C-alpha cells in the first residue's frame, strides 16, 4: 500500500509513471482511467476525476439500455465524480510502473451515487456502525483456467478450450504444480498489491482453482476481491492463458464464491459466540435467522446473471435448499468455527457475484434478523439436497421478481437502489428472451 507522499517520490524518480483511477461497476468490474502520474498528482489528488454516468447504467457488453433513473439519453449522460479513497492506493506489480486507487462515486454536489456498488456497501456498514458493530468478511473465489489465450478463446467462440488440467485436481499437489508458474505469479502479484495470500488449491472441475486471501473488514475485502479478479485475468493474459469466473462454464462443477462473515465490536471483540446452544449468542442466532429469512429475496444480489442459476444442482456442492447446518456443505448457510472464529458461510454466491452487493445483502439480512429478533430454526442434519422446505431460486427471473418485491430490500437499500438493480435484471432477461442459441439451431434447423 502507498501513501500519496511515497507516490510523489516514486513518480519523481520514474519508478511509477501511471496511476489507475478506478471504481467498480454493477457487474463487479473495474472501470476508470489510466492517468499519467504527474497529472494524477497535480489534478486528481486535489480535485478528483470524472467519468460518464452511463458506466452504472449499461449491460455487460457496455450497451446503453433504457429504464435507469440516474442515467439516460434524456438526462444527457453527464459525468459523475470519482473521489479517490486514499486508503486503497497501492502498487500494481504485474503492470510496469503502475499504481492504482479505488474511488467512491459522487455527484458534482458531493452527494453519493447511491446505486454505485461501493456506496451500497457503505450504507450497510453505516447501519452496522450505528449498533457499534463491524463486519469481517472473507470471500473464496474459484476460477477456470485454460491454456488458450483470451483472444484465441474469443475466436473459437469459447468452444473446445483446453483446460489447464485434464482431470480433477481437488487438493492435488501434482495438479497444481503443473500450473504453479501462473498461480505463483498471481499470488505474488496480489501480495505485492497489499493483499494477504493464504493458499492456492485445485478444485473439482477441469482446470479449476482457488486462491484464498485472509479475511479483513468488509470494505477492504470487497476492494481486494475486485482488484484480484481483474488482476488475475491480466496476469493470465500476460502468460498467454485465460481464466473465467463465470458461475457455470459447463456441465461439471461451477465456480463458487463462498462468503464468510462475522461481526465484532471494536471494544469487545467478537459478538457471535455465547452461552446458547452450539455456543451461539442470541445475536448470532438472530443474524443467521435473518440470512435464512432473506435468502430468496436477496438471491439476485448473490447470483446476478442468467448463467448463475445453472450452478445450483443436487450433489454439486452448490446449494439448493434454504437451510443452515453445522459444518454441512449441502446447506446454503454453513456455520463454522467456534469462539472468536464463529462465523456463517453463505454458499449461494457464484464467481460472477459483485462482492459489494453480495456482502451488502448478507449485512442487510443479518440486521433484519437482529432488529426483529427472528428465532433460529433447528439446524438441518444430513443431506439438504433431499430435504423439504424453501429452495434457492431456480432462475434469474424468479430471483429478480423476489428482489423487486422485497419490503426488506426496500427498507435496507432504499427504493432507488432496488429499482436500479431490478432494471438491470429486466435488461438481462429481455436480451436472453430475444436470443437464439446454438442449441436451438442444432435441434431445429433441419429436424423441425
Amino acid at each position: 500500500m502507498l501513501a500519496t507522499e511515497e507516490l510523489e517520490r516514486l513518480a519523481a524518480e520514474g519508478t511509477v509513471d501511471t496511476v489507475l483511477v478506478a471504481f467498480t461497476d454493477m457487474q463487479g468490474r473495474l472501470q476508470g482511467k489510466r492517468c499519467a502520474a504527474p497529472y494524477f498528482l497535480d489534478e486528481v489528488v486535489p480535485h478528483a476525476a470524472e467519468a460518464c454516468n452511463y458506466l452504472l447504467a449499461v449491460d455487460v457488453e457496455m450497451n446503453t439500455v433504457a429504464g435507469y433513473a440516474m442515467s439516460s439519453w434524456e438526462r444527457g449522460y453527464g459525468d459523475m465524480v470519482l473521489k479517490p479513497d486514499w486508503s486503497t492506493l497501492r502498487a500494481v506489480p504485474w503492470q510496469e510502473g503502475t499504481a492504482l486507487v479505488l474511488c467512491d462515486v459522487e455527484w458534482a454536489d458531493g452527494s453519493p451515487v447511491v446505486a454505485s456498488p461501493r456506496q451500497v456497501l457503505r450504507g450497510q456498514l453505516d447501519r452496522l456502525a450505528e449498533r457499534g458493530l463491524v463486519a469481517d468478511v472473507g470471500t473464496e473465489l474459484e476460477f477456470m483456467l485454460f491454456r488458450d489465450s483470451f483472444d484465441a478463446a474469443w475466436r473459437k467462440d469459447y468452444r473446445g478450450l483446453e483446460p489447464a488440467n485434464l482431470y480433477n485436481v481437488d487438493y492435488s499437489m501434482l495438479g497444481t504444480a503443473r500450473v504453479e508458474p501462473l498461480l505463483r505469479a498471481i499470488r505474488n502479484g496480489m501480495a505485492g498489491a497489499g493483499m494477504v495470500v493464504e493458499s492456492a488449491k485445485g478444485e473439482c472441475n477441469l482446470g479449476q482453482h482457488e486462491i484464498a486471501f485472509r479475511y479483513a473488514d468488509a470494505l477492504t475485502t470487497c476492494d481486494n476481491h475486485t482488484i484480484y479478479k481483474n488482476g488475475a485475468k491480466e496476469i493470465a493474459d500476460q502468460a498467454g492463458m485465460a481464466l473465467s469466473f463465470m458461475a457455470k462454464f459447463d456441465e461439471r462443477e461451477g465456480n463458487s464464491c463462498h462468503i464468510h462473515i462475522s461481526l465484532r465490536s471494536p471494544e469487545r471483540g467478537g459478538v457471535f459466540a455465547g452461552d446458547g446452544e452450539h455456543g451461539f449468542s442470541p445475536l448470532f442466532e438472530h443474524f443467521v435467522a435473518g440470512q435464512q429469512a432473506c435468502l430468496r429475496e436477496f438471491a439476485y444480489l448473490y447470483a446476478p446473471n442468467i448463467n448463475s442459476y445453472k450452478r445450483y444442482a443436487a450433489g454439486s456442492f452448490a446449494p439448493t435448499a434454504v437451510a443452515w447446518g453445522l459444518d454441512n456443505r449441502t446447506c446454503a448457510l454453513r456455520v463454522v468455527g467456534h469462539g472468536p472464529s464463529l462465523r456463517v458461510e453463505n454458499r449461494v454466491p457464484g464467481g460472477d457475484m459483485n462482492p459489494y452487493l453480495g456482502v451488502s445483502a448478507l449485512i442487510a439480512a443479518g440486521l433484519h434478523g437482529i432488529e426483529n429478533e427472528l428465532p433460529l430454526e433447528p439446524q438441518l442434519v444430513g443431506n439438504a439436497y433431499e430435504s423439504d422446505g424453501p429452495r434457492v431460486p431456480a432462475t434469474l427471473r424468479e430471483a429478480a421478481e423476489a428482489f423487486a418485491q422485497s419490503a426488506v430490500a426496500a427498507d435496507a437499500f432504499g427504493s432507488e437502489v432496488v429499482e436500479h438493480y431490478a432494471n438491470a435484471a429486466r435488461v438481462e432477461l429481455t436480451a436472453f428472451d430475444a436470443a437464439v442459441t446454438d442449441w436451438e439451431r442444432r435441434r431445429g434447423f433441419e429436424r423441425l
Side-chain angles (χ1 to χ4, degrees):
M1 309 301 289
L2 297 174
T4 52
E5 295 80 8
E6 186 176 5
L7 179 63
E8 290 175 356
R9 178 182 63 79
L10 294 173
E13 66 187 30
T15 303
V16 171
D17 54 58
T18 303
V19 182
L20 312 181
V21 180
F23 74 101
T24 305
D25 69 5
M26 289 195 299
Q27 290 80 17
R29 305 170 299 189
L30 287 183
Q31 305 282 23
K33 301 178 179 181
R34 282 178 150 78
C35 295
Y39 172 83
F40 177 84
L41 292 167
D42 292 342
E43 298 295 333
V44 178
V45 170
H47 303 301
E50 296 80 32
C52 179
N53 62 33
Y54 99 124
L55 292 169
L56 286 171
V58 292
D59 67 10
V60 71
E61 294 183 315
M62 302 300 291
N63 298 308
T64 52
V65 291
Y68 290 107
M70 63 165 277
S71 180
S72 65
W73 293 113
E74 290 73 23
R75 290 178 62 108
Y77 285 117
D79 274 350
M80 52 193 181
V81 176
L82 306 184
K83 182 180 179 182
D85 178 344
W86 299 115
S87 70
T88 70
L89 184 64
R90 70 193 70 205
V92 180
W94 57 92
Q95 299 283 358
E96 185 176 357
T98 301
L100 175 147
V101 67
L102 294 178
C103 298
D104 289 314
V105 186
E106 299 179 345
W107 297 117
D109 64 3
S111 61
V113 178
V114 294
S116 168
R118 203 168 192 260
Q119 273 50 62
V120 173
L121 178 57
R122 281 195 181 277
Q124 299 311 301
L125 296 177
D126 288 345
R127 294 180 66 207
L128 277 179
E130 291 171 0
R131 289 180 165 271
L133 296 172
V134 174
D136 287 328
V137 171
T139 57
E140 301 174 334
L141 188 55
E142 297 171 350
F143 59 84
M144 303 280 295
L145 179 62
F146 300 96
R147 297 198 180 277
D148 309 80
S149 69
F150 280 107
D151 287 348
W154 174 280
R155 295 189 186 98
K156 294 169 74 171
D157 205 19
Y158 304 101
R159 297 191 189 93
L161 305 185
E162 182 182 353
N165 300 96
L166 301 178
Y167 56 89
N168 182 332
V169 296
D170 193 24
Y171 286 97
S172 168
M173 303 304 291
L174 176 62
T176 49
R178 297 184 68 178
V179 290
E180 170 60 8
L182 180 62
L183 297 178
R184 181 173 181 268
I186 295 174
R187 292 196 311 271
N188 289 345
M190 297 307 136
M195 303 177 207
V196 181
V197 182
E198 289 190 346
S199 62
K201 66 177 287 293
E203 290 288 345
C204 298
N205 204 341
L206 308 186
Q208 189 177 41
H209 294 267
E210 173 188 286
I211 298 176
F213 299 87
R214 183 172 174 80
Y215 73 89
D217 68 273
L219 187 62
T220 297
T221 289
C222 293
D223 290 343
N224 289 346
H225 176 119
T226 308
I227 293 169
Y228 159 58
K229 197 172 181 180
N230 190 79
K233 292 178 184 179
E234 293 179 343
I235 294 169
D237 187 51
Q238 292 167 2
M241 301 175 76
L243 58 82
S244 176
F245 294 96
M246 67 181 293
K248 188 75 168 176
F249 178 76
D250 56 20
E251 293 77 9
R252 291 175 59 100
E253 295 83 3
N255 288 321
S256 67
C257 179
H258 304 147
I259 307 177
H260 292 249
I261 185 168
S262 63
L263 301 183
R264 60 179 168 83
S265 162
E267 294 79 22
R268 297 180 288 115
V271 295
F272 276 177
D275 299 328
E277 187 177 11
H278 312 301
F280 297 174
S281 69
L283 185 141
F284 184 56
E285 291 182 356
H286 300 324
F287 187 88
V288 177
Q291 303 301 319
Q292 194 166 354
C294 297
L295 195 145
R296 285 182 50 82
E297 295 175 34
F298 290 176
Y300 171 61
L301 299 182
Y302 306 134
N305 299 298
I306 293 285
N307 177 259
S308 308
Y309 295 84
K310 296 187 176 182
R311 185 174 143 259
Y312 307 125
S316 66
F317 286 100
T320 59
V322 181
W324 78 274
L326 291 170
D327 198 12
N328 186 339
R329 284 184 168 88
T330 70
C331 295
L333 302 168
R334 172 178 170 247
V335 173
V336 288
H338 60 276
S341 70
L342 182 63
R343 62 197 185 276
V344 61
E345 173 194 51
N346 190 315
R347 298 178 62 81
V348 174
D352 57 345
M353 174 202 66
N354 184 318
Y356 300 97
L357 300 181
V359 173
S360 294
L362 287 180
I363 294 171
L367 284 173
H368 174 69
I370 292 169
E371 290 169 353
N372 293 280
E373 298 185 349
L374 297 184
L376 182 62
E377 296 179 5
Q379 68 157 319
L380 189 147
V381 178
N383 186 353
Y385 293 116
E386 298 177 352
S387 64
D388 297 326
R391 315 307 286 179
V392 175
T395 65
L396 175 62
R397 195 178 309 276
E398 180 185 357
E401 289 175 354
F403 178 70
Q405 297 168 9
S406 171
V408 180
D411 182 61
F413 306 119
S415 58
E416 181 179 347
V417 170
V418 171
E419 173 54 27
H420 189 90
Y421 286 95
N423 188 68
R426 290 193 292 268
V427 166
E428 188 76 358
L429 287 163
T430 300
F432 175 74
D433 290 342
V436 178
T437 66
D438 290 344
W439 180 85
E440 290 171 283
R441 291 193 185 97
R442 284 196 305 271
R443 294 172 76 89
F445 186 89
E446 180 176 344
R447 296 179 179 88
L448 297 179

